[in-house]
Amino acid sequence: MQSQAELIASLPRHLQPFARVQDYTQYTPRDHAVWRYTMRQLAARLKDTAHPVYLEGLKKTGISLEHIPSMDEMNAALAQLDWRAVVVDGFIPPAIFMEFQALRVLVIALDMRSIDHILYTPAPDIVHESAGHAPFIVDIDYSEFLQRFGEIGMKAIANREDMAVYDAIRHLSIVKERVDSTAADVAAAEHELDQALAANTRDSEASRLSRLHWWTVEYGLVGEPDDYRIFGAGLLSSLGESVNCLDDAKVIKQPLTVDVVDCPYDITREQPQLFVTRSCRHMSQVLEEFAQSMCFMRGGAESVQIAIDSGTVCTAQYSSGVQVSGRFSRLLRDAVGNVTYIGTQGPTQLAYRDTQLQGHGTEYHAEGFGSPVGMLKEMPHCLSRYTVDELKEHGIALDRECRLEFLSGITVSGRLTHILRHEHKNLLFSFTQCTVTDRHGERLFEPDWGPYDMAVGARIDSVFGGVADRERYQLYKDMTPEPTQHPVMDEATRQLMDLYAQVRAQRESGQPDGKELKAVRERLSAYPQEWLIRLELAELLPESRASMTGELQQIGRSRPETARLIDYGLRALQPA
């Protein structure tokens, strides 16, 4: 079996900086107690309301109810399902998340929710990511849906405002995790996020696809609106909402259709409506229906314009297979709307089959790139399909002055110095002393601008978000999360963690020593509000349960926010 380091090393290089090696020692004994409490509660509540695959899937993906999962255990189980898992620290760009998924790699948040956020945590955590998503990987249809979602999601076009929201969320998470952050620092970061959200008024492909992800993978139900089971990870990992969502009077259930891409959601509150899919195959049908509307499937002038409007780096693919990746800024069309010319500003990459063409990276095309699209006059086939000898018959030959007249009226004239061919196709023509004009005579390229490279293709078949060769043009290399800073424990906290560890050791021994456990209880007077360890002692010391219950109820009266959790725990101790 691959070690975590070996697994990370096997990933594409541009993904490796986002993955971490799980340091299992970072989880405290109380973290494990929180996991155990949460998972035992969820398993009990979900045994009749979750999709039947859920409990079976926990076991088959290496997830125990008793302790936080290790990536080594999970990967040993996931390998049997042709999946893998890595941990990440903090928020990662959505396109990177989707690319991991497309590679059948589950992304698992490294952190464990705190004892103060058991009911719900808005930040990704290991409960949500592992116990929410992983169990359904055992279902082949779900597994294929998840992978296909990744393949489609990584091609979605995001706009500038989407990226501003991501940057603000990422910054806020970093500020909150820093041990030296002040309340003013957090407030400033929250204000920055509020401003970014308010400014994001345009729906992009990426934002619409994120809604489909939310209403299926995160908050989906399966069955019929009047007879359903839970399978969304957000519901499966929330003690509160996994119960509240069953109230049909308060939470409307609607059949899943592609229209959910226009249904917004609020991550900060419980959802007032949920959508019910008939099956995983039904979800796949909805996903493919939306994909048909996306630019990577449609291509054409409208898709190029969407890329321009987005203000983000996108890729346009010619019918020949040539891919141009950059920030698109120019689009010319003919009278019937066909693309006749495209242009970018700033660093641009030229590629073929997602591999950068030799010598045509962002350093060479640092200022941008522009090229015609279409057919030449009196040539019945795309210029990419002609052999070198056939080109000569049309007066197109190396080291000669050539004049290429497109049906659109664009003209390229100059000395042809090189033809780049791949797989028996012409992909790029390179010129010196080149002039490019449109049908009105406007100069699109001047001879004194230097060498000119012309991409070859009859049309733009696909436009998608991001770049073609992600290794050579790394968009997100400056967005890798900073490692979480964990506060240094004081002596009192260290002693409390030692008490949690003693209780755990006694339970795992199979024969708890009452004397040892009572000694732990006596030391709890120094921690009057520590309810979870008292609940564990009540479980292991039946003879002391009544008095422990009194202590727990007292804590609940002084801390109403934990009273619900205490009540859940005490109910679980009652005989069935």
Side-chain angles (χ1 to χ4, degrees):
M1 186 186 74
Q2 281 184 314
S3 67
Q4 291 183 64
E6 289 170 335
L7 191 160
I8 293 171
S10 73
L11 296 170
R13 285 198 307 274
H14 66 283
L15 295 181
Q16 292 176 17
F18 295 94
R20 299 281 187 266
V21 172
Q22 182 190 40
D23 177 6
Y24 204 68
T25 63
Q26 77 163 332
Y27 303 115
T28 68
R30 184 167 63 184
D31 288 335
H32 286 286
V34 169
W35 170 275
R36 181 175 183 268
Y37 172 91
T38 303
M39 291 304 301
R40 284 165 60 88
Q41 287 285 332
L42 286 170
R45 292 164 183 272
L46 294 168
K47 62 182 175 62
D48 297 320
T49 58
H51 190 286
V53 167
Y54 175 67
L55 294 178
E56 171 197 355
L58 285 174
K59 297 174 184 176
K60 289 188 175 180
T61 51
I63 299 172
S64 167
L65 303 185
E66 295 296 317
H67 59 81
I68 295 170
S70 77
M71 288 304 100
D72 292 330
E73 290 175 351
M74 282 195 68
N75 276 309
L78 288 170
Q80 308 303 312
L81 305 169
D82 197 26
W83 278 76
R84 298 180 292 173
V86 296
V87 290
V88 297
D89 192 357
F91 287 93
I92 65 174
I96 294 293
F97 179 91
M98 288 295 174
E99 189 172 355
F100 272 113
Q101 198 164 288
L103 294 171
R104 299 174 72 90
V105 177
L106 279 179
V107 174
I108 308 293
L110 186 61
D111 287 337
M112 177 64 202
R113 65 185 60 181
S114 72
I115 194 170
D116 297 319
H117 296 109
I118 290 179
L119 280 175
Y120 174 76
T121 174
D125 86 317
I126 198 167
V127 175
H128 174 89
E129 304 293 347
S130 61
H133 289 297
F136 290 102
I137 294 294
V138 302
D139 184 296
I140 293 175
D141 290 332
Y142 181 88
S143 173
E144 291 177 351
F145 169 78
L146 209 60
Q147 181 183 14
R148 179 60 176 157
F149 209 118
E151 293 170 348
I152 293 172
M154 64 188 286
K155 292 183 178 293
I157 296 176
N159 59 34
R160 275 187 301 258
E161 293 80 8
D162 292 331
M163 298 310 298
V165 169
Y166 166 73
D167 286 339
I169 290 173
R170 174 175 172 265
H171 176 62
L172 176 60
S173 69
I174 291 171
V175 169
K176 284 186 171 181
E177 289 163 358
R178 274 203 210 109
V179 295
D180 58 347
S181 291
T182 64
D185 294 331
V186 174
E190 289 175 338
H191 179 66
E192 179 184 329
L193 175 58
D194 289 341
Q195 287 185 311
L197 289 168
N200 193 9
T201 58
R202 295 185 299 154
D203 274 355
S204 66
E205 282 186 349
S207 64
R208 298 181 84 207
L209 194 62
S210 74
R211 293 170 187 159
L212 179 55
H213 193 269
W214 181 267
W215 296 121
T216 56
V217 174
E218 295 294 348
Y219 280 81
L221 302 173
V222 60
E224 299 289 346
D226 58 354
D227 183 16
Y228 52 82
R229 296 292 186 94
I230 298 170
F231 81 93
L235 297 173
L236 293 173
S237 59
S238 171
L239 278 177
E241 203 161 2
S242 63
V243 174
N244 297 343
C245 75
L246 303 175
D247 188 337
D248 294 336
K250 294 182 179 179
V251 182
I252 299 169
K253 313 301 189 305
Q254 301 181 50
L256 178 71
T257 70
V258 75
D259 293 339
V260 297
V261 301
D262 293 323
C263 184
Y265 57 86
D266 183 350
I267 194 173
T268 65
R269 66 188 183 95
E270 294 190 359
Q271 308 308 309
Q273 79 225 327
L274 295 173
F275 296 90
V276 188
T277 180
R278 294 286 298 274
S279 65
C280 290
R281 290 189 178 182
H282 173 212
M283 286 197 305
S284 294
Q285 288 177 309
V286 172
L287 174 62
E288 295 297 342
E289 184 177 354
F290 179 70
Q292 292 299 317
S293 72
M294 294 174 65
C295 294
F296 86 96
M297 296 288 280
R298 294 188 294 122
E302 184 181 354
S303 297
V304 176
Q305 188 61 54
I306 289 172
I308 292 172
D309 294 342
S310 76
T312 58
V313 174
C314 297
T315 297
Q317 182 169 308
Y318 282 72
S319 56
S320 63
V322 175
Q323 296 163 312
V324 180
S325 299
R327 206 176 300 274
F328 285 87
S329 58
R330 191 161 200 173
L331 166 66
L332 300 182
R333 318 181 197 206
D334 62 20
V336 293
N338 296 316
V339 181
T340 62
Y341 187 90
I342 58 173
T344 65
Q345 286 184 333
T348 302
Q349 174 194 75
L350 304 185
Y352 179 71
R353 295 191 183 278
D354 297 334
T355 300
Q356 181 174 295
L357 294 173
Q358 183 67 34
H360 290 280
T362 55
E363 292 183 2
Y364 183 70
H365 297 288
E367 302 301 320
F369 178 83
S371 184
V373 180
M375 304 278 284
L376 294 184
K377 294 177 180 179
E378 299 181 351
M379 296 183 71
H381 305 297
C382 176
L383 190 57
S384 65
R385 294 174 55 183
Y386 291 87
T387 67
V388 173
D389 289 337
E390 288 170 337
L391 289 173
K392 287 180 182 178
E393 293 175 4
H394 288 83
I396 303 171
L398 291 173
D399 299 321
R400 285 178 52 182
E401 295 295 324
C402 300
R403 181 179 175 85
L404 307 183
E405 296 184 8
F406 287 79
L407 289 173
S408 63
I410 290 176
T411 300
V412 177
S413 58
R415 187 173 185 83
L416 182 62
T417 60
H418 183 65
I419 300 175
L420 180 62
R421 289 174 58 84
H422 274 294
E423 299 179 352
H424 309 292
K425 290 188 291 187
N426 306 309
L427 302 183
L428 288 178
F429 282 29
S430 297
F431 298 86
T432 57
Q433 293 303 305
C434 187
T435 300
V436 182
T437 58
D438 68 10
R439 62 191 174 96
H440 302 295
E442 180 185 349
R443 296 288 185 99
L444 303 175
F445 195 88
E446 300 281 5
D448 59 2
W449 292 358
Y452 179 70
D453 299 293
M454 185 190 82
V456 176
R459 51 188 187 276
I460 299 298
D461 282 346
S462 178
V463 180
F464 55 87
V467 302
D469 188 335
R470 295 171 179 80
E471 296 294 305
R472 302 289 188 87
Y473 188 176
Q474 295 189 23
L475 289 179
Y476 305 106
K477 62 183 177 182
D478 296 326
M479 295 186 181
T480 53
E482 296 179 10
T484 300
Q485 299 181 35
H486 296 282
V488 178
M489 287 188 191
D490 58 23
E491 182 57 31
T493 304
R494 278 195 293 271
Q495 290 184 21
L496 175 60
M497 295 305 111
D498 180 61
L499 295 179
Y500 269 102
Q502 289 180 51
V503 172
R504 182 176 190 83
Q506 288 297 320
R507 183 193 313 109
E508 292 179 346
S509 72
Q511 294 182 325
D513 185 327
K515 184 177 180 181
E516 293 285 342
L517 293 170
K518 288 175 182 177
V520 169
R521 181 184 177 185
E522 289 174 3
R523 293 176 59 189
L524 288 181
S525 58
Y527 308 97
Q529 299 300 313
E530 198 67 24
W531 63 272
L532 184 53
I533 192 170
R534 286 178 166 85
L535 192 62
E536 293 200 327
L537 286 170
E539 176 188 351
L540 296 173
L541 289 171
E543 67 275 16
S544 302
R545 190 166 297 168
S547 59
M548 295 296 293
T549 297
E551 291 180 28
L552 286 163
Q553 290 173 338
Q554 179 61 36
I555 294 172
R557 283 191 287 272
S558 62
R559 296 180 63 190
E561 69 275 12
T562 64
R564 185 176 174 188
L565 295 170
I566 290 170
D567 182 56
Y568 287 165
L570 290 175
R571 288 185 189 180
L573 298 182
Q574 296 173 2

